[in-house]
Amino acid sequence: QVQLVESGGGLVQPGGSLRLSCAASGNIFNIYDMGWYRQAPGKQRELVATITGDTTTNYADSVKGRFAISRDNANHTVYLQMSSLKPEDTAVYYCKLRRLRSGIDYWGQGTQVTVSS
């Protein structure tokens, strides 16, 4: 019974930047991990970045050095700062929250990111 609301997607030129936000609401416990995944048309969903409650981060090799994930625990919000964007970053980006006590994952609706001239 957790809802995730994503925002910040859009059209950006190669080399540009975008910041995605995901705010969680509902029955949220204090212990949870959050992350971002992305899915391009005709492709499977792939991991982009995750962040634990103690701010330990994990990134896909394709985005290391360009993307940065962060969280605001007071507002149950996770961010994805994307820089040096490439056309291959084009995808629908999904926010995920995992409640560690149950292991249940909750997903956002997805936000489109398009990198094109």
Side-chain angles (χ1 to χ4, degrees), residues 38-46 90-92 94 112:
R38 66 186 182 187
Q39 185 170 23
K43 298 183 179 180
Q44 65 181 11
R45 190 172 300 184
E46 66 174 350
T90 296
V92 177
Y94 296 91
Q112 177 71 47

Side-chain angles (χ1 to χ4, degrees), residues 58-94:
N58 177 48
Y59 296 93
D61 289 340
S62 59
V63 306
K64 287 181 179 178
R66 301 188 298 117
F67 291 10
I69 188 171
S70 61
R71 63 189 291 164
D72 179 352
N73 289 334
N75 293 288
H76 301 118
T77 302
V78 63
Y79 303 93
L80 185 67
Q81 178 65 51
M82 305 184 295
S83 301
S84 301
L85 284 163
K86 305 174 180 179
E88 50 263 45
D89 295 319
T90 296
V92 177
Y93 284 70
Y94 296 91

Side-chain angles (χ1 to χ4, degrees), residues 10-32:
L11 175 64
V12 64
Q13 292 187 335
S17 300
L18 283 175
R19 188 193 191 203
L20 306 183
S21 300
C22 174
S25 62
N27 188 19
I28 304 173
F29 291 86
N30 290 329
I31 304 176
Y32 57 91

